[in-house]
Amino acid sequence: MTYELYYWPIQGRGEFARLILEDAGADYVDVTRSRDGMKRMQDIVANGVPGLLPFAPPFVHVDDIWVAQSALIASFLGERLGLAPSEAPARYAALTIMLTIADFMNEVHDTHHPVAVDKYYKEQKAPAKLRAESFREKRLPKFLRYFERNLERNGNGVFAGKDVSYVDLAAFQIVEGLTFAFPKTFKKHHKKVPLLLALRDRVAARPRIAAYLASDRRYAFSEHGIFRHYPELDGGTAAPRRRSR
Ligand SMILES: N[C@@H](CCC(=O)N[C@@H](CS)C(=O)NCC(=O)O)C(=O)O
């Protein structure tokens, strides 16, 4: 059985699914890597598939099932691929935290696109600066504290249940994203999130994740993704503009 992942050729919100598929050693296709993949994805957003009309990528397909929305995809894949807690209370706790990670992704996105999703960052730089200041000073510390407290409460190094699950892989991704996009700000919080950083290391050391991260299947972070590094949004000054000839 082959899983199909439909997502843009960036990490973005599709990366949660990739990490699960990779960690599970699942047979999967990252559809937009193929020559006609982008067109197939856009056709599905325009016309739907039997039983589902997704609003936006990412979405996944296996057998006759189609699922959209990154947090739902993560829980769907985690449950099918042995990367979810087995008991109901912990399963719902994992999904609760995953949905909070999806909220967090929206707030990260809004630091560089606070006004209009369909306009460029350069068209909303002044409000982005304000939004990023609030993110750095209020929202990021609040989310980080929430994640750390969940790890403290579960008491065994993972977010829910006894073993590493999809939500731990997602937490790895947000630590990586923050390290790329907000290096200066995130470093100031390191001492306050020892369990989150330890979880990041634990996930990175999982053999299939380590192999994936070293492979060309892992897209690099970039200024087309959700986590973008603009020094001025990280409390620094803007990088000098490169002169084009
Ligand atoms: N809540 C959705 C958001 C999906 C989303 O915003 N996808 C972006 C890429 S990360 C997109 O392609 N959006 C196109 C659009 O909103 O028109 C999720 O978590 O999957």
Side-chain angles (χ1 to χ4, degrees):
M1 151 200 343
T2 302
Y3 290 82
E4 287 180 331
L5 168 66
Y6 292 77
Y7 192 62
W8 305 105
I10 57 168
Q11 289 187 20
R13 292 181 173 96
E15 199 61 16
F16 301 125
R18 291 194 187 100
L19 286 167
I20 299 165
L21 292 161
E22 291 280 346
D23 191 71
D27 177 13
Y28 83 100
V29 178
D30 203 339
V31 172
T32 60
R33 281 190 177 274
S34 70
R35 195 194 281 237
D36 67 337
M38 197 73 91
K39 187 182 172 309
R40 278 167 59 202
M41 182 173 88
Q42 284 162 336
D43 280 351
I44 292 169
V45 174
N47 303 314
V49 286
L52 189 74
L53 176 62
F55 177 75
F59 39 91
V60 298
H61 173 215
V62 61
D63 300 332
D64 57 352
I65 305 173
W66 291 85
V67 183
Q69 292 287 348
S70 56
L72 180 60
I73 293 169
S75 110
F76 170 77
L77 292 176
E79 303 249 339
R80 285 179 66 110
L81 295 169
L83 282 163
S86 46
E87 305 297 325
R91 280 171 45 209
Y92 283 105
L95 181 53
T96 302
I97 298 165
M98 187 66 222
L99 285 159
T100 310
I101 288 178
D103 291 344
F104 178 71
M105 291 298 279
N106 290 339
E107 296 206 18
V108 170
H109 168 273
D110 290 352
T111 60
H112 46 81
H113 278 75
V115 177
V117 177
D118 60 327
K119 294 209 161 49
Y120 290 107
Y121 166 59
K122 65 179 183 203
E123 297 172 82
Q124 42 196 312
K125 274 187 157 182
K129 213 165 173 188
L130 281 177
R131 183 65 185 256
E133 187 183 321
S134 147
F135 176 77
R136 290 195 308 273
E137 288 176 10
K138 298 280 190 256
R139 302 300 290 173
L140 176 64
K142 185 168 182 175
F143 274 104
L144 288 177
R145 180 80 197 115
Y146 172 78
F147 296 136
E148 191 70 10
R149 283 185 68 202
N150 272 282
L151 289 168
E152 285 164 8
R153 287 165 58 103
N154 203 38
N156 58 6
V158 297
F159 274 106
K162 298 187 191 69
D163 302 310
V164 167
S165 74
Y166 67 87
V167 72
D168 301 306
L169 303 185
F172 161 84
Q173 179 63 13
I174 61 171
V175 171
E176 292 297 280
L178 288 171
T179 305
F180 170 76
F182 297 94
K184 199 171 135 193
T185 305
F186 187 41
K187 204 159 183 199
K188 291 186 195 152
H189 291 285
H190 274 195
K191 281 209 177 93
K192 294 184 204 140
V193 290
L195 298 178
L196 186 61
L197 295 178
L199 177 59
R200 179 257 162 234
D201 292 347
R202 179 170 171 180
V203 169
R206 287 167 75 84
R208 288 194 185 119
I209 294 291
Y212 168 57
L213 297 177
S215 77
D216 58 9
R217 299 188 302 284
R218 168 84 163 175
Y219 287 106
F221 283 108
S222 75
E223 286 173 11
H224 305 290
I226 310 278
F227 286 105
R228 300 185 184 191
H229 180 55
Y230 295 124
E232 64 275 25
L233 300 188
D234 190 23
T237 46
R241 288 176 70 185
R242 264 187 242 132
R243 264 197 287 162
S244 52
R245 292 176 185 218

Coordinates of all heavy atoms in Angstrom, one line a residue, residues 7-8 13 55-58 69-71 226, ligand 1:
Y7 N 1.8 18.0 -1.5 CA 2.2 19.3 -0.8 C 3.2 20.0 -1.7 O 3.8 19.4 -2.6 CB 2.8 19.0 0.6 CG 3.0 20.3 1.4 CD1 1.8 21.1 1.7 CD2 4.2 20.8 1.7 CE1 1.9 22.3 2.4 CE2 4.3 22.0 2.4 CZ 3.2 22.7 2.7 OH 3.3 23.9 3.4
W8 N 3.3 21.3 -1.4 CA 4.3 22.1 -2.2 C 5.7 21.6 -2.0 O 6.0 21.0 -0.9 CB 4.2 23.6 -1.8 CG 2.8 24.1 -1.8 CD1 2.0 24.4 -0.8 CD2 2.1 24.5 -3.0 NE1 0.8 24.9 -1.2 CE2 0.8 25.0 -2.5 CE3 2.4 24.5 -4.3 CZ2 -0.2 25.4 -3.4 CZ3 1.4 25.0 -5.2 CH2 0.1 25.4 -4.8
R13 N 3.9 23.0 6.0 CA 3.0 22.2 6.8 C 2.9 20.7 6.3 O 2.3 19.9 6.9 CB 1.5 22.7 6.7 CG 1.4 24.1 7.4 CD -0.1 24.6 7.3 NE -0.3 25.7 8.1 CZ -0.3 27.0 7.6 NH1 0.0 27.2 6.4 NH2 -0.5 28.0 8.4
F55 N -9.4 22.1 0.9 CA -9.3 23.6 0.7 C -7.9 23.9 0.2 O -7.7 24.8 -0.6 CB -9.6 24.3 2.0 CG -9.4 25.8 1.9 CD1 -10.4 26.5 1.3 CD2 -8.3 26.4 2.4 CE1 -10.2 27.9 1.1 CE2 -8.1 27.8 2.3 CZ -9.1 28.6 1.7
A56 N -6.9 23.2 0.8 CA -5.5 23.6 0.4 C -4.6 22.4 0.8 O -4.9 21.6 1.6 CB -5.0 24.8 1.2
P57 N -3.4 22.3 0.1 CA -2.4 21.3 0.5 C -1.9 21.6 2.0 O -1.9 22.8 2.3 CB -1.3 21.5 -0.5 CG -1.8 22.3 -1.6 CD -2.9 23.1 -1.0
P58 N -1.5 20.7 2.8 CA -1.3 19.3 2.4 C -2.5 18.4 2.5 O -3.4 18.7 3.2 CB -0.3 18.8 3.5 CG -0.6 19.6 4.7 CD -1.0 21.0 4.2
Q69 N -5.8 18.8 6.0 CA -5.5 19.5 7.3 C -4.3 18.8 8.0 O -4.4 17.7 8.4 CB -6.7 19.5 8.2 CG -7.8 20.4 7.7 CD -7.5 21.9 7.8 OE1 -6.6 22.3 8.4 NE2 -8.3 22.7 7.1
S70 N -3.3 19.6 8.2 CA -2.0 19.0 8.6 C -2.1 18.3 10.0 O -1.5 17.2 10.1 CB -0.9 20.1 8.7 OG -1.3 21.2 9.5
A71 N -2.9 18.8 10.9 CA -2.9 18.1 12.2 C -3.7 16.8 12.1 O -3.4 15.8 12.7 CB -3.6 19.0 13.3
I226 N 7.1 28.4 5.8 CA 6.4 29.0 7.0 C 7.4 29.6 7.9 O 7.3 30.7 8.3 CB 5.6 28.0 7.8 CG1 4.7 27.1 6.9 CG2 4.8 28.6 8.9 CD1 3.4 27.7 6.5
Ligands
LIG1 N1 -5.1 24.6 8.3 C1 -4.5 24.0 7.1 C2 -3.8 25.1 6.3 C3 -3.4 24.7 5.0 C4 -2.7 25.8 4.3 O1 -2.7 27.0 4.6 N2 -1.9 25.4 3.2 C5 -1.1 26.4 2.5 C6 0.3 25.9 2.3 S1 1.1 25.6 3.9 C7 -1.7 26.6 1.2 O2 -1.3 26.0 0.2 N3 -2.7 27.6 1.1 C8 -3.3 27.9 -0.1 C9 -4.5 28.8 0.2 O3 -4.8 29.0 1.4 O4 -5.2 29.2 -0.7 C10 -3.5 22.9 7.5 O5 -3.0 22.9 8.6 O6 -3.2 22.0 6.6

